[in-house]
């Protein structure tokens, strides 16, 4: 089955261009120029990804992302005409997995779409059965189903959050630098990002896990080095 991608941008030329490139890669695209129309699609369709413009009239991309995250965990990529750090942090805090600043190269967008979908749909598909479950102090991650529980209670994680947490769990006891996390999560895209991206995702994970920053039970910050989960 073709993967379904929602595209929302009030700039029709950009929405049409993004749709054209996605369709050329055999994705099924649901294109809208307003958030109001997109909301009906979000409620009625089983989607695999959303690509949202930040600056839209009435309902902006941040609000739409928040609505998606109330019920869905599929990847969300934000498109922003501004390169301001606060826009990127806002999007990531609301649950977005990636962001691209306009103007962007369509082939770069396609590469990021494929990377996000690969993590979401096929994460660690080559692992053996015994490696599908990662557990640590009441935390259990199923890399086949992308489900996560903490003390038997489900945690709703975005694909990026799941990836970061699974990397730290697999390397528990070792410090993983922000740069290394970038390379493992985003591959060769490290040069386009900043350390604040990882910081925001880690903060979001701690909030969902009710983990203290001052006295963490799970994710510990090693100043000047990175992050680790104690053995």
């Amino acid at each position: 089955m073709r993967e379904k991608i929602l595209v929302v941008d009030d700039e029709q030329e950009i929405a049409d261009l993004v749709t054209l490139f996605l369709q050329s890669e055999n994705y099924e695209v649901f294109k809208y120029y307003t958030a109001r129309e997109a909301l009906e699609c979000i409620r009625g369709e089983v989607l695999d990804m959303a690509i949202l413009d930040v600056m839209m009239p009435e309902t902006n991309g941040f609000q739409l992302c928040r609505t998606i995250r109330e019920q869905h965990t599929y990847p969300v990529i934000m498109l922003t005409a501004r390169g301001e750090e606060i826009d990127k942090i806002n999007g990531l805090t609301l649950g977005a997995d990636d962001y691209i600043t306009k103007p962007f190269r369509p082939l770069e967008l396609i590469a990021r779409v494929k990377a996000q979908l690969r993590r979401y749909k096929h994460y660690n598909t080559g692992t053996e059965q015994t490696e599908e479950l990662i557990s640590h102090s009441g935390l259990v991650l199923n890399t086949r189903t992308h489900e996560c529980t903490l003390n038997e209670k489900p945690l709703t994680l975005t694909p990026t959050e799941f990836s970061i947490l699974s990397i730290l769990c697999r390397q528990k006891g070792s410090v993983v630098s922000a740069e290394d996390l970038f390379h493992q999560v985003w591959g060769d895209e490290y040069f386009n990002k900043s350390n604040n991206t990882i910081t925001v995702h880690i903060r979001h994970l701690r909030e969902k896990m009710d983990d203290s920053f001052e006295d963490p039970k799970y994710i510990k910050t090693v100043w000047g080095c990175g992050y680790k989960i104690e053995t």
Side-chain angles (χ1 to χ4, degrees), residues 193-205:
K193 300 185 179 293
S194 69
N195 287 341
N196 276 339
T197 306
I198 289 293
T199 302
V200 171
H201 283 305
I202 293 291
R203 187 178 71 213
H204 219 194
L205 277 169

Side-chain angles (χ1 to χ4, degrees), residues 212-229:
S212 168
F213 173 80
E214 293 78 12
D215 186 24
K217 180 179 179 182
Y218 294 98
I219 303 175
K220 179 180 180 181
T221 299
V222 181
W223 295 108
C225 298
Y227 304 93
K228 76 171 180 176
I229 290 180

Side-chain angles (χ1 to χ4, degrees), residues 54 76-80 82-85 87-89 91-92 96-101 108 112 116 182 186 189 192-194 196-197 201:
V54 170
V76 174
I77 295 178
M78 306 295 293
L79 301 180
T80 174
R82 297 183 294 177
E84 296 177 8
E85 197 72 15
D87 283 347
K88 300 170 184 177
I89 292 174
L92 294 170
D97 296 280
D98 203 353
Y99 56 83
I100 297 181
T101 302
E108 179 187 1
R112 297 202 187 186
Q116 290 294 338
F182 267 122
W186 282 284
E189 299 170 17
N192 281 327
K193 300 185 179 293
S194 69
N196 276 339
T197 306
H201 283 305

